[in-house]
Amino acid sequence: METRVILLNNRPVGKPTMDDFKFVTEEIPALKEGEILLKTLYVSVDPYLRGRMIDAKSYVPPFQLNQPISSGVIAEVMESKNPNFKKGTLVSGYLDWKEYNISTGRGLTPIKPESSSITAYLGILGMTGLTAYLGLKNIGCPKAGETLVVSGAAGAVGSVVGQIGKIMGCKVIGIAGTDEKVAQLKNKFGFDVAINYKTTDDMNRAIQVAAPNGVDIYFDNVGGEISDAVMYNLNRLARVVVCGSISGYNDTQVSVGPRMQWKLIATSSLMKGFTIGDYANEFPQGIATLTKWLAEGKLTYTETIVQGFDQIPQAFMDLFEGKNEGKMIVKI
């Protein structure tokens, strides 16, 4: 039996291209005791994977050339020699971009499809939701009546951050890149104000108008000039949650912009970056809270689902063109 695999062919320079990926076919070895054979059903593609394509020290090791790329996956157990995983069980976990994977089961979580759409476990009930909830809770420390600004607000993380902000009593302002996404932020996700940065000439002024009393919390998913504009409007004791910086992931040289240390000093503000692993001990509580809110109708989500194993690299590249609404997922 064979499986197709997607390898990292080149380390991208600037935006990734199809030449940076390689499709190969390999034999699937016979199962050993304690192993399971998994059929990939859905693959999550996420902006942070771009950083792992660079050969640089970071919070996780970089992908290696001519080795499989990996990300969040939902899979079905097709064969098992592990008593903890029965045939037919659905699992979520971090797996290679392969049609079929062999695993010992370590790091895999069985999921119950009757409780929610199974793709939710790659998004709002998985790392996406946890990133939004734990980052906002632990660093943003939202209080009722405060003003929260979210960049990349129509993305998978940003749309959840805004909804949680509303649950916690904040005024929520979202920044996105199309009129359609702006309308979605207000009509579907309940944001109070939404700004299209691509049609706004003066972002600093736009933030001033949207947040006349200033910004108490900024959940930053993009970096760059958008973040500069938000930070000019920080209140005293504001909190800046640095989750992502997609505007610069494909830069070939270090960009130069306003240095904002003076603003942090002047307002006694906190600016803190994080990765979701920082709060691993809170995962069970976080999942329980997100599941409860989803069941109560307090949270909703949007997915962009692309069809076909061959489309995984293109779906990943489309993230940097803003072609996704919410979580980008490939159905195999």
Side-chain angles (χ1 to χ4, degrees), residues 289-307:
T289 300
L290 293 165
T291 300
K292 178 176 180 290
W293 283 340
L294 188 61
E296 292 173 346
K298 294 179 179 179
L299 291 178
T300 187
Y301 60 96
T302 299
E303 299 171 325
T304 299
I305 298 182
V306 177
Q307 300 277 343

Side-chain angles (χ1 to χ4, degrees), residues 7-246:
L7 310 179
L8 181 64
N9 191 44
N10 300 300
R11 298 202 180 278
V13 177
K15 290 182 180 180
T17 69
M18 285 301 298
D19 289 339
D20 298 320
F21 305 90
K22 182 192 297 183
F23 287 80
V24 299
T25 300
E26 63 180 32
E27 288 289 329
I28 301 173
L31 287 187
K32 300 175 183 176
E33 287 301 319
E35 292 183 334
I36 54 178
L37 176 65
L38 296 165
K39 179 180 180 180
T40 301
L41 302 180
Y42 295 93
V43 173
S44 172
V45 292
D46 306 278
Y48 81 89
L49 298 173
R50 177 64 180 85
R52 294 196 65 192
M53 296 176 182
I54 301 169
D55 188 11
K57 185 178 180 180
S58 186
Y59 61 95
V60 288
F63 294 127
Q64 297 302 305
L65 290 175
N66 297 309
Q67 295 297 315
I69 299 169
S70 53
S71 67
V73 167
I74 291 173
E76 180 181 357
V77 177
M78 305 303 292
E79 185 180 346
S80 178
K81 290 189 176 182
N82 184 323
N84 297 317
F85 294 88
K86 295 180 180 180
K87 182 178 179 180
T89 301
L90 299 181
V91 300
S92 64
Y94 202 80
L95 295 166
D96 290 342
W97 286 1
K98 298 181 178 183
E99 292 174 306
Y100 292 88
N101 276 276
I102 289 179
S103 170
T104 62
R106 183 177 180 182
L108 299 181
T109 302
I111 60 177
K112 299 177 180 179
E114 67 272 12
S115 63
S116 183
S117 169
I118 62 173
T119 54
Y121 291 92
L122 290 178
I124 200 165
L125 297 181
M127 291 299 105
T128 298
L130 287 170
T131 298
Y133 173 64
L134 295 176
L136 183 61
K137 178 175 87 69
N138 288 301
I139 304 173
C141 303
K143 304 177 188 69
E146 291 189 320
T147 297
L148 163 66
V149 176
V150 186
S151 59
V157 172
S159 59
V160 181
V161 171
Q163 293 177 81
I164 295 173
K166 291 300 297 180
I167 291 171
M168 295 183 173
C170 294
K171 175 182 178 180
V172 180
I173 300 165
I175 303 170
T178 69
D179 289 339
E180 292 77 14
K181 290 180 179 179
V182 162
Q184 184 183 66
L185 290 177
K186 292 188 288 187
N187 300 330
K188 183 180 178 71
F189 297 122
F191 283 58
D192 296 289
V193 183
I195 301 168
N196 183 344
Y197 72 89
K198 290 185 178 178
T199 57
T200 300
D201 294 330
D202 187 341
M203 278 298 299
N204 188 357
R205 177 60 182 161
I207 298 296
Q208 290 176 13
V209 171
N213 296 319
V215 175
D216 299 297
I217 310 164
Y218 174 40
F219 199 102
D220 184 9
N221 289 301
V222 303
E225 294 180 359
I226 290 173
S227 292
D228 295 339
V230 177
M231 291 180 68
Y232 277 123
N233 291 278
L234 294 181
N235 282 334
R236 179 168 174 77
L237 302 178
R239 288 82 70 198
V240 179
V241 187
V242 185
C243 178
S245 187
I246 193 172

